[in-house]
Amino acid sequence: MRENKIKVLKIEPGQAPQVKEIQNDPAGLQAEVGGLIECISFPNGCVAVCNEEGKINGMPPNRRLGADIICGPFFICDTTCDGNFTSLGRSKIAEYSQLFTDIPEFTGLEPELEPGFTFIGFEY
């Protein structure tokens, strides 16, 4: 069963992570990231939910995640086995608060800030 509200860790550009309760419906999720959502999965079942057009729309760089930079606000939530968003527990809040505690400074010249697409072709 889907929760109406979920507890997430919200990460805004230039700010420390904050625990927040948000509405768990498409309008509420999109409001948190300022547009269409994109999910980036972590191995433990959690996801980072960000604006899929953050770079294209010129949102400010926020945090590095792997080999990329997320632009604009994002939040971390947990997921159920059937893919629904669910609240973060205390241990995962602590884990991701630690992971995103450092507020990086960006020059604006980082190559990861350029929007890009990867096309993969298959020969049949």
Side-chain angles (χ1 to χ4, degrees):
M1 186 163 121
R2 188 176 64 83
E3 298 174 64
N4 290 329
K5 289 192 172 196
I6 56 173
K7 187 184 290 188
V8 302
L9 188 68
K10 180 84 181 269
I11 297 106
E12 295 273 359
Q15 297 180 19
Q18 294 183 340
V19 177
K20 183 175 183 182
E21 190 173 80
I22 66 170
Q23 197 65 36
N24 189 17
D25 59 29
L29 302 172
Q30 289 178 347
E32 291 299 322
V33 300
L36 301 174
I37 63 170
E38 175 181 358
C39 298
I40 303 165
S41 299
F42 291 101
N44 65 357
C46 291
V47 292
V49 181
C50 62
N51 186 315
E52 75 174 5
E53 299 175 327
K55 290 180 185 177
I56 295 170
N57 291 339
M59 292 180 141
N62 190 339
R63 300 292 201 282
R64 288 188 177 276
L65 186 58
D68 201 2
I69 296 173
I70 296 178
C71 291
F74 69 98
F75 64 87
I76 309 293
C77 67
D78 211 341
T79 59
T80 63
C81 60
D82 56 354
N84 290 319
F85 294 159
T86 189
S87 293
L88 280 179
R90 278 189 230 154
S91 64
K92 290 182 179 178
I93 288 172
E95 175 185 348
Y96 288 106
S97 292
Q98 180 68 31
L99 181 64
F100 294 110
T101 192
D102 291 334
I103 302 171
E105 292 188 29
F106 297 101
T107 64
L109 301 175
E110 291 82 1
E112 302 91 343
L113 292 176
E114 288 297 317
F117 299 92
T118 301
F119 294 96
I120 300 172
F122 298 95
E123 291 186 33
Y124 293 97

